[in-house]
Amino acid sequence: MPSTSPRRRVALPLAAAALLVPAATACSSGGAGGSGASGGDQRLKVAMAFPPAQAMSPYGDDAVTLGRLAVVEGLTSLDKNGDAKPALATAWKRDGDLAWEFTLRKAAFQDGTQVDAAAVVRSLAAAQKASPKPRVLSDSTLTATAEGADTVRVTTKTADPLLPQRLANPSLAVLSAAAYKGNGKVDPAGHATGPFTLAKVNGAVSATLERNDTYWGTKAEAPGIDVKFVADGTARANALRTKDVDIAEYVPISQAALLGDNLVHEFPTARTSGLSLNTERGAFADPAMRAAAREAIDSKTLADGVYEGRADTAQGLLGPGVRWAAELRTAPTGRAKAAAPAEVAKTKEIVLATYTNRPELPEAATVVQQQLEKRGFTVKQVVRDYAQMEADALGGRFDAFLQARNTLLDTADPLSYLASDFTCDGSFNISQLCAKPVDTAVSKATSLADNEARHRAEMTAEAAILGADALVPLVHERFIQGYDDARVEGVALDPMERTLITADTHIG
């Protein structure tokens, strides 16, 4: 159903990403691609797909980059099964339905100040007040209090059985007091706790990281990292092929066969590529038009053609990367009857948008455009760098937005994804959906501690979302990270996309 209340979520402008983050460590550092202060050829050279969109703020998508580069940490981290494990907290216990207590380890920030309960309270409070709010907090409100120097009590307004997993999200990283500059601005450079220190950011072009020699855990094997932000996937693959970089994330499928098996490392993910339809305004405010768009899409053609067989045909919002989803899936509920082609042909031109950072998406958009036009729609494409279009997408300025979304990214459970992307108050609700059955199912899941019961409620929400045709699943992706396995060791192939570089990543 169309949204009944306006919602606007405005991202920071790209110009903010051009700010130069001052050097934050005592050591001098080389530019991206150079040898740096020390380590020579032992420094890692990495090509990242997404340039900073918010000047490395931890409260937007840049938080993912900070996590993948091993800069920031939270109270917990996640193991390969998505369960919480110790990070800055060594242990935790639940106290009733609404409270948890976390015991902190002895650790120091990269600027030399100590991690204590006051620092944790400050960081969690800042994240809670941030605008726009981090996606991971779209379905939860946290209040943290210090219980002595090394114990933090975190309470929530409603029962939150996923709180330990939630606190592993990089948007809830713990930073030192110096990171908070006022006016809501946060600078993680030199103020985090991870194995690597963000020393300098050269706008949307490059970044320099140095080893954190005071890290509480096993120190990083690499002396530093020189990062290039390369939105063009072919350029990332070419940089890997010519050894200009050691690691290239998200190698395009079209480049995989050209690189060869020793440089290509394919693995399943929880990412679904889908077409978000604007339920609030334009042609797709009509459920019958959304149903017609859904019927027009041929997932197998996309999987076999655009993705060259390196993707699975769409099964729902949650694909094979979410192992339990298939056996609990139920049929979509409340679907409208699709408008006839003659009615579709009467609609105004629709704007279909996607971004260049994932090279398969523009090609997929072209195929989707052809499929929609065959149904009778008149389609205009808009394709830009993601950083240049996020605010427009969140503001509902496109009729359809083709995006790839990791359904487990926020809490290792799809609950946060469902809440942020499809509820009335969701902070990443590109489809502008506001439907009571969805909100009810997500709210029910939020309070359930039992995994199977929560998963069943989540699948009820999936059925309602698919019934509203707020998003048309296209394919479930597999990803390719590029590196020479004869030379580079310790690269994380993480289905949840939380990690790429770790303390163990190094030149062999």
Side-chain angles (χ1 to χ4, degrees):
M1 61 179 283
S3 170
T4 57
S5 60
R7 299 175 303 283
R8 295 292 180 267
R9 294 162 293 278
V10 181
L12 293 178
L14 180 63
L19 296 175
L20 183 66
V21 180
T25 57
C27 60
S28 62
S29 58
S35 61
S38 62
D41 290 340
Q42 296 302 304
R43 291 180 66 85
L44 292 167
K45 294 178 290 184
V46 180
M48 304 291 285
F50 291 88
Q54 297 117 356
M56 286 296 190
S57 167
Y59 302 140
D61 284 338
D62 291 355
V64 177
T65 299
L66 292 168
R68 287 173 68 77
L69 291 173
V71 172
V72 297
E73 297 176 310
L75 290 179
T76 60
S77 60
L78 298 177
D79 65 17
K80 64 181 180 179
N81 295 319
D83 296 324
K85 65 179 183 178
L88 293 178
T90 59
W92 51 90
K93 61 181 179 179
R94 196 168 188 178
D95 183 10
D97 290 338
L98 304 181
W100 298 72
E101 287 191 354
F102 295 82
T103 302
L104 305 182
R105 71 170 69 251
K106 293 187 181 300
F109 292 106
Q110 294 156 353
D111 58 16
T113 59
Q114 296 300 302
V115 175
D116 58 14
V120 175
V121 169
R122 178 176 53 244
S123 293
L124 294 182
Q128 187 66 59
K129 295 176 183 177
S131 180
K133 183 184 293 187
R135 289 195 306 264
V136 70
L137 293 180
S138 63
D139 60 337
S140 185
T141 300
L142 310 181
T143 302
T145 56
E147 303 283 333
D150 61 357
T151 302
V152 175
R153 184 178 178 86
V154 181
T155 58
T156 56
K157 283 189 176 181
T158 58
D160 188 358
L162 293 175
L163 184 66
Q165 289 97 319
R166 192 181 303 277
L167 291 172
N169 190 281
S171 286
L172 302 183
V174 179
L175 304 174
S176 70
Y180 301 95
K181 305 298 183 180
N183 298 321
K185 295 182 178 180
V186 182
D187 177 9
H191 307 309
T193 61
F196 290 99
T197 298
L198 179 63
K200 185 171 68 173
V201 177
N202 181 22
V205 177
S206 62
T208 305
L209 286 72
E210 303 295 346
R211 177 166 51 205
N212 175 14
D213 288 326
T214 63
Y215 184 54
W216 58 264
T218 302
K219 292 180 176 58
E221 294 201 34
I225 308 173
D226 299 315
V227 179
K228 294 180 179 180
F229 298 109
V230 184
D232 184 83
T234 300
R236 290 196 302 277
N238 287 337
L240 181 66
R241 184 183 295 109
T242 59
K243 300 184 179 180
D244 189 42
V245 299
D246 303 307
I247 302 167
E249 68 169 357
Y250 303 133
V251 171
I253 289 170
S254 62
Q255 296 293 311
L258 301 176
L259 287 174
D261 291 344
N262 65 312
L263 296 179
V264 170
H265 304 272
E266 181 179 341
F267 61 104
T269 74
R271 184 172 290 271
T272 295
S273 289
L275 189 66
S276 296
L277 302 179
N278 191 332
T279 65
E280 188 175 52
R281 64 173 71 95
F284 293 133
D286 182 349
M289 292 299 168
R290 298 199 299 273
R294 184 242 310 153
E295 287 189 355
I297 300 301
D298 181 352
S299 175
K300 189 174 188 305
T301 296
L302 288 162
D304 293 345
V306 175
Y307 290 87
E308 300 180 8
R310 295 179 186 267
D312 299 297
T313 55
Q315 304 299 312
L317 301 178
L318 311 178
V322 185
R323 297 179 180 178
W324 49 263
E327 64 183 35
L328 297 180
R329 177 163 286 120
T330 59
T333 55
R335 273 183 169 165
K337 181 180 179 180
E343 292 300 312
V344 171
K346 296 177 183 179
T347 61
K348 294 182 179 180
E349 178 182 73
I350 63 172
V351 177
L352 166 62
T354 194
Y355 44 96
T356 58
N357 307 75
R358 297 191 185 278
E360 294 80 20
L361 295 186
E363 186 178 350
T366 297
V367 175
V368 168
Q369 177 178 356
Q370 294 168 351
Q371 293 177 350
L372 291 173
E373 288 176 341
K374 186 176 179 180
R375 182 74 183 199
F377 291 99
T378 301
V379 183
K380 174 186 176 182
Q381 267 197 63
V382 174
V383 180
R384 299 198 297 266
D385 181 273
Y386 180 81
Q388 298 172 350
M389 65 194 329
E390 182 185 65
D392 286 343
L394 292 174
R397 296 183 181 92
F398 304 123
D399 297 297
F401 189 71
L402 200 164
Q403 64 171 329
R405 189 81 164 90
N406 189 322
T407 60
L408 298 183
L409 187 61
D410 293 326
T411 61
D413 184 285
L415 184 59
S416 288
Y417 157 68
L418 296 172
S420 67
D421 286 34
F422 302 109
T423 62
C424 294
D425 296 324
S427 61
F428 203 71
N429 191 343
I430 289 176
S431 66
Q432 315 297 307
L433 180 67
C434 188
K436 185 175 180 180
V438 174
D439 279 29
T440 298
V442 172
S443 178
K444 178 181 178 181
T446 299
S447 65
L448 297 173
D450 179 74
N451 281 344
E452 184 171 347
R454 185 173 66 253
H455 293 164
R456 289 189 183 280
E458 290 164 345
M459 298 313 288
T460 298
E462 184 200 62
I465 293 162
L466 294 175
D469 288 318
L471 182 138
V472 181
L474 301 178
V475 296
H476 305 297
E477 295 187 11
R478 304 170 201 156
F479 280 161
I480 302 170
Q481 307 295 26
Y483 62 91
D484 186 345
D485 56 13
R487 182 169 183 267
V488 181
E489 300 177 13
V491 178
L493 302 180
D494 177 13
M496 290 178 286
E497 300 179 73
R498 292 290 190 94
T499 57
L500 175 69
I501 306 298
T502 72
D504 295 330
T505 312
H506 66 283
I507 304 298

